[in-house]
Amino acid sequence: MDHRIKRLALLGSTGSIGNQTLDVVRTYPKRRQVVGLAARSNIMALNTQIKEFHPKLVSCENIGDEGFPLATNGYRKCAIEDMVRDPSVDLVVSATAGNASLSSTISAIEAGKNVALANKE
């Protein structure tokens, strides 16, 4: 069994499946690490997640550069496609509704990342 820490980027982190994924990270903190969090627009929930998990990368679709009121914990704001291609990411968990993360999931596959699909219809 591989006991190395898996570093993950979570797409749809503020939704129900995203929160369940973060529960797994909480349960196995020595085996899972959140490197990236991506959300569409739930700034309050994303702020809470940033403060708890201290990701290296954050993407929030509906917030512009001048109005990005997220907690500051040393992360880098980036496009979701850049997040899934980042060398520090081992696993991309796509926990979005429908095809919201289809292009970023394809980018992750093209970058050779392991991908877990948990799409909610």
Side-chain angles (χ1 to χ4, degrees):
M1 179 181 260
D2 186 1
H3 292 289
R4 290 179 297 159
I5 196 160
K6 296 287 184 201
R7 301 166 301 174
L8 62 97
L10 178 55
L11 315 183
S13 68
T14 61
S16 60
I17 296 170
N19 278 300
Q20 290 173 26
T21 302
L22 293 173
D23 285 342
V24 172
V25 174
R26 286 181 192 100
T27 302
Y28 300 101
K30 293 182 180 177
R31 296 175 64 188
R32 302 290 181 262
Q33 176 187 7
V34 177
V35 173
L37 293 171
R40 178 167 287 170
S41 61
N42 190 340
I43 299 301
M44 289 180 61
L46 187 56
N47 268 327
T48 300
Q49 293 171 351
I50 290 168
K51 290 174 185 174
E52 180 178 358
F53 293 99
H54 308 283
K56 170 184 167 185
L57 306 166
V58 172
S59 179
C60 189
E61 183 178 311
N62 290 337
I63 302 297
D65 286 336
E66 57 281 338
F68 202 77
L70 293 177
T72 55
N73 278 351
Y75 64 84
R76 177 173 55 93
K77 186 178 90 169
C78 65
I80 197 167
E81 283 79 11
D82 294 334
M83 179 185 296
V84 301
R85 290 186 192 112
D86 191 274
S88 65
V89 173
D90 299 317
L91 172 66
V92 175
V93 178
S94 178
T96 62
N99 64 359
S101 63
L102 180 60
S103 66
S104 52
T105 300
I106 291 170
S107 293
I109 292 168
E110 290 173 346
K113 303 297 182 177
N114 290 318
V115 175
L117 298 174
N119 292 38
K120 182 177 172 182
E121 294 289 330

